[in-house]
Amino acid sequence: MTANGLLLFFRSLASAPRTVGAIAPSGSALANMITREINGATGKVLELGPGTGVFTQALLKQGVKEGDLTLIEYGSD
């Protein structure tokens, strides 16, 4: 996770803790493990709460096309 991602996570957690769905930021190792069976042939993917983008980046790395991703985020940042 980038320094900007960490800053965004902790700023969101401090300003509105009830709107953040995680107690700690996810890293690339976890994102890669969770998305390992998703690829470009999977089809459309709905990501709820993309937050800092770690899972989005893993999905793109797995070959999911940007046009096949729908991201829904509660926070404006």
Side-chain angles (χ1 to χ4, degrees), residues 1-2 5-6 9 22-35 47 50 52-59 61:
M1 170 172 290
T2 66
L6 280 172
F9 176 83
I23 59 169
S26 300
S28 59
L30 177 64
N32 290 333
M33 182 178 70
I34 289 176
T35 63
E47 185 179 354
T52 59
V54 176
F55 285 88
T56 307
Q57 289 302 315
L59 290 167
K61 189 171 101 177

Side-chain angles (χ1 to χ4, degrees), residues 8 12 73-77:
L8 174 63
S12 297
E73 176 61 56
Y74 180 79
S76 60
D77 291 340

Side-chain angles (χ1 to χ4, degrees), residues 6-25 77:
L6 280 172
L7 181 62
L8 174 63
F9 176 83
F10 288 115
R11 188 175 345 138
S12 297
L13 187 62
S15 66
R18 292 182 183 204
T19 64
V20 177
I23 59 169
D77 291 340

Side-chain angles (χ1 to χ4, degrees), residues 51-73:
T52 59
V54 176
F55 285 88
T56 307
Q57 289 302 315
L59 290 167
L60 293 169
K61 189 171 101 177
Q62 295 291 101
V64 176
K65 295 178 190 135
E66 214 175 293
D68 286 340
L69 285 174
T70 299
L71 311 174
I72 298 176
E73 176 61 56

